[in-house]
Amino acid sequence: MTIKVSGLSHTYNAGLAYETKAVADVSFDVADGEFIGIIGHTGSGKSTLIQHLNGILKPDSGQIWIDGIDITGKGVKMHEIRKRVGMSFQYPEYQLFEETVYRDIAFGPRNLGLSDAEIDERVREAMDAVNLDFGEMAERSPFDLSGGQKRRAAIAGVIAMRPGVLILDEPTAGLDPKSHADVLSMIRSVHERMGAIVMLVSHNMEDIAAMSDRVFVMDMGRLVCSGTPAEVFADAEYLRGIGLGLPPSTEMARMLGLAAGAIRDMDDLIDAISRMRKGRDL
Amino acid sequence: MSGPPAADTGAVRAGCDRQDVNFKGQPYIEVRDLVFEYRRGSDTDGEPDVVMRAVDGVSLDVPRGSFTAIIGRNGSGKSTLAKNVNALFLPTSGSVTVDGMDTRDDAFVWEIRRRVGMVFQNPDNQLVSAVVEDDVAFGPENLGVAPDEIRERVRAALIAVDMTEQRKMAPHLLSGGQKQRVAIAGVVAMRPDAIIFDEPTAMLDPEGRREVMDVIGRLRADGVTIVLITHFMDETVDADRVVIMDRGRIVLDGTPAEVFRRADEIESLGLRLPFAVELASRLRRRGIDVPAGLLTPEAVAGWLRGSAA
């Protein structure tokens, strides 16, 4: 599975006074199995961009190839695209609607026309992936779950489609620290087990730095930089100028005059501080 | 006025009550043995009511002018407690008073809501008008405040949240942080004594979070009583007091330094430590003797630089 985007533009309210170029001439490639973090301030175009990747929005210009298929071309069957590209929106638990967790997760696979046995296998696999106990949870109402469980049940519905690309828009927003950690480890394990491309949109720089192979930075509809977390988080002034910041460990490293870009998380920071102090003791 | 004894609340009182030291006089908000239950069921299907006890025997004094942070898991009862304070919910048992006014007394409800404002997570759900300054004027207009006075209040509220420049704009064209600041201005224009912030930064980008926390700091400096509910531990380290809730009860209550010293308990409650506290504790395990009680990255960095020199 690969993604290629070329010259993608999308304008809201074209021709009106409030015309907004939400996405402006964005191009990128994503390799098989890559984990991409997407950051940018509110209104920078992240959500508009990702909504093009499974055909919810149509670009004004530009092309998008998913697995070699130009999804902006004529005659493309959208359900073929949505099978490949799974999208979890912000607060996906608001979209839970079935009587049981099982039926909610089974909704997508059923629409694919799978047999009951295949659907069952998909539901079990998805619940396992998001770490919801099948025996305990499958027949419960999704509305009786805790906040973090609801979020994971909603994402399981996307995973049950076995997408080759999994796009998650702010999957941890509003969760408490434990649920936040659970959702992150769930994303990591889905990425590893299914080998899917993951695109994670988040305001949490710590998560982005820890999880991503590459980070895309959006500002005013443009993809203004992309690179490894070390490359992207090396330029603190620039990021702050566009309403972003550094992961706390990277920020702390900067404060201490350490090579900040190389510090992704607290483990890196502690190693660097230990080395710094040993160096001075000599 | 000391807090309730630990036996009443299940709270582990971490050290002395700092509020006794720093804040004299009658507490502004007094929560006494509060129980609040959500009920649903019998109307349609004949099944017995399902009762969910969201707040289970909470007592809490909030002194005037103080900054109290409340943290806890999703579903621990934080928001339900907050909604009991400004009479959006009324106690199942126990009582809540604001400046001596009982929330169960109908005569006080509007005065309590004017004095204790609330700011919620999603700014889009809190803005009602097509122009920023009209939105800020909405509350005082409903109070029947005179037009000249409304203009003055709106002007002052927009200054307080640093949104004067955008006063003629449509709210939907603002950033998340700006929208949230307009929502706060709408509350400030009511001239409240206290504001309860229920996860005001959960949906914001890093800049938006900084903006909103700056505004909260300024309101505090102006003497507004602040109650902040949050999942971001780093937003609590400047508070006078941190209250941790679990399953409807207060389980830890003290200054940030006192509360965050209890690392194991906090982790077992499904919470995290503030960044600097976690870093310091892990550095200690590596043999770097960072003193306890440093709560901010700046403080830890300062110690590391000082001790290495």
Side-chain angles (χ1 to χ4, degrees):
Chain A
M1 181 67 69
T2 57
I3 302 173
K4 183 178 179 63
V5 168
S6 172
L8 187 73
S9 294
H10 190 100
T11 303
Y12 289 122
N13 303 320
L16 298 179
Y18 292 133
E19 176 174 300
T20 320
K21 271 210 155 193
V23 172
D25 196 21
V26 167
S27 302
F28 60 82
D29 287 278
V30 181
D32 192 31
E34 254 194 312
F35 195 119
I36 303 290
I38 304 179
I39 58 177
H41 62 82
T42 310
S44 60
K46 308 180 301 291
S47 296
T48 305
L49 172 65
I50 59 174
Q51 285 176 45
H52 283 84
L53 299 181
N54 76 342
I56 295 171
L57 290 177
K58 292 273 175 208
D60 299 333
S61 58
Q63 267 98 46
I64 301 160
W65 290 270
I66 304 287
D67 217 9
I69 304 168
D70 180 358
I71 71 166
T72 57
K74 283 212 173 77
V76 175
K77 291 206 174 66
M78 271 305 138
H79 71 263
E80 287 299 316
I81 302 309
R82 300 210 173 116
K83 264 197 312 202
R84 291 181 169 80
V85 183
M87 173 97 69
S88 162
F89 294 96
Q90 289 181 27
Y91 297 84
E93 61 275 21
Y94 293 160
Q95 296 164 47
L96 293 167
F97 68 101
E98 276 283 11
E99 282 173 25
T100 67
V101 170
Y102 187 101
R103 289 168 61 96
D104 210 286
I105 297 171
F107 182 80
R110 185 155 281 135
N111 281 348
L112 295 178
L114 301 177
S115 72
D116 284 349
E118 284 169 314
I119 291 169
D120 193 68
E121 187 193 323
R122 295 271 188 119
V123 173
R124 285 171 188 273
E125 174 189 274
M127 286 186 72
D128 189 46
V130 303
N131 200 22
L132 286 177
D133 185 79
F134 186 89
E136 195 190 327
M137 299 284 184
E139 291 309 314
R140 285 178 59 182
S141 163
F143 303 102
D144 288 340
L145 306 182
S146 73
Q149 288 169 339
K150 273 186 202 165
R151 181 79 51 97
R152 282 182 282 145
I155 295 174
V158 180
I159 289 171
M161 303 293 279
R162 289 189 189 155
V165 179
L166 178 61
I167 301 174
L168 302 147
D169 195 354
E170 292 282 357
T172 61
L175 295 182
D176 62 43
K178 170 73 164 58
S179 306
H180 181 126
D182 288 348
V183 167
L184 282 193
S185 76
M186 179 266 283
I187 294 168
R188 197 173 271 132
S189 99
V190 167
H191 180 235
E192 282 162 9
R193 281 206 287 187
M194 302 182 21
I197 289 174
V198 175
M199 301 186 83
L200 170 67
V201 176
S202 178
H203 289 318
N204 187 315
M205 302 297 134
E206 186 181 9
D207 297 345
I208 291 284
M211 313 259 303
S212 309
D213 298 316
R214 273 195 301 154
V215 180
F216 291 176
V217 185
M218 298 281 298
D219 182 42
M220 300 200 292
R222 290 173 307 123
L223 178 59
V224 288
C225 59
S226 70
T228 63
E231 288 163 355
V232 167
F233 290 118
D235 197 346
E237 302 309 325
Y238 177 71
L239 291 175
R240 211 166 284 138
I242 59 170
L244 299 173
L246 297 180
S249 295
T250 315
E251 182 69 50
M252 178 87 185
R254 242 170 76 85
M255 240 183 262
L256 291 167
L258 299 165
I263 309 293
R264 263 163 92 130
D265 55 24
M266 199 178 278
D267 292 333
D268 291 347
L269 177 63
I270 287 169
D271 287 343
I273 291 173
S274 299
R275 280 199 304 276
M276 173 183 86
R277 296 180 69 86
K278 284 199 184 98
R280 293 199 185 161
D281 288 345
L282 288 176
Chain B
M1 49 58 248
S2 65
D8 281 2
T9 60
V12 180
R13 288 236 160 226
C16 67
D17 287 351
R18 180 169 159 177
Q19 64 191 76
D20 286 350
V21 182
N22 288 348
F23 299 96
K24 305 279 186 212
Q26 182 78 5
Y28 186 68
I29 298 165
E30 277 188 86
V31 178
R32 284 283 166 275
D33 305 320
L34 176 69
V35 172
F36 184 85
E37 290 172 345
Y38 291 97
R39 286 164 190 274
R40 60 155 209 244
S42 63
D43 293 353
T44 50
D45 56 11
E47 303 249 328
D49 282 8
V50 179
V51 173
M52 216 279 284
R53 187 171 278 213
V55 175
D56 187 13
V58 163
S59 295
L60 184 70
D61 288 344
V62 178
R64 193 184 281 273
S66 64
F67 177 3
T68 303
I70 304 181
I71 57 185
R73 269 193 287 230
N74 295 117
S76 60
K78 310 179 297 293
S79 297
T80 307
L81 171 62
K83 287 175 179 148
N84 272 277
V85 171
N86 78 343
L88 287 174
F89 292 164
L90 296 177
T92 304
S93 68
S95 68
V96 178
T97 60
V98 172
D99 207 9
M101 296 178 288
D102 194 311
T103 58
R104 289 167 302 185
D105 189 334
D106 282 347
F108 293 141
V109 167
W110 293 105
E111 185 58 15
I112 287 172
R113 292 202 187 136
R114 187 195 68 73
R115 293 206 199 184
V116 181
M118 281 198 82
V119 174
F120 297 97
Q121 195 177 101
N122 189 345
D124 288 326
N125 296 343
Q126 301 172 72
L127 304 179
V128 292
S129 301
V131 178
V132 164
E133 60 184 2
D134 293 351
D135 206 281
V136 178
F138 181 80
E141 276 169 0
N142 281 348
L143 291 180
V145 174
D148 283 355
E149 159 97 23
I150 290 177
R151 269 191 290 278
E152 173 50 29
R153 287 194 185 195
V154 169
R155 195 187 65 83
L158 287 170
I159 289 172
V161 302
D162 196 16
M163 285 293 292
T164 303
E165 231 171 82
Q166 295 87 352
R167 67 187 183 281
K168 300 284 183 198
M169 283 178 72
H172 74 272
L173 297 174
L174 303 176
S175 74
Q178 289 174 329
K179 283 182 199 169
Q180 195 63 299
R181 284 189 283 152
V182 173
I184 296 170
V187 172
V188 169
M190 306 285 278
R191 300 265 163 95
D193 299 326
I195 304 179
I196 302 175
F197 294 89
D198 193 352
E199 296 188 49
T201 63
M203 298 181 72
L204 303 183
D205 58 31
E207 173 70 19
R209 283 184 59 194
R210 281 195 289 269
E211 290 169 5
V212 167
M213 289 311 295
D214 285 351
V215 167
I216 291 175
R218 266 184 286 171
L219 292 170
R220 177 195 196 182
D222 288 344
V224 177
T225 305
I226 306 283
V227 176
L228 172 67
I229 297 171
T230 184
H231 288 314
F232 294 109
M233 303 300 141
D234 286 289
E235 294 175 355
T236 71
V237 297
D238 290 330
D240 296 309
R241 175 188 193 184
V242 174
V243 172
I244 300 189
M245 290 191 67
D246 189 53
R247 293 164 215 251
R249 291 166 171 266
I250 293 177
V251 291
L252 280 172
D253 181 356
T255 65
E258 289 162 355
V259 165
F260 292 125
R261 199 174 295 148
R262 297 169 172 266
D264 293 343
E265 278 161 80
I266 286 170
E267 249 158 59
S268 73
L269 291 167
L271 302 173
R272 265 179 93 167
L273 293 170
F275 172 80
V277 177
E278 188 184 341
L279 176 65
S281 119
R282 290 183 55 187
L283 285 172
R284 278 195 289 278
R285 264 179 264 153
R286 289 278 285 261
I288 299 172
D289 221 5
V290 189
L294 302 181
L295 299 173
T296 63
E298 291 76 12
V300 174
W303 184 88
L304 285 169
R305 277 194 297 261
S307 74

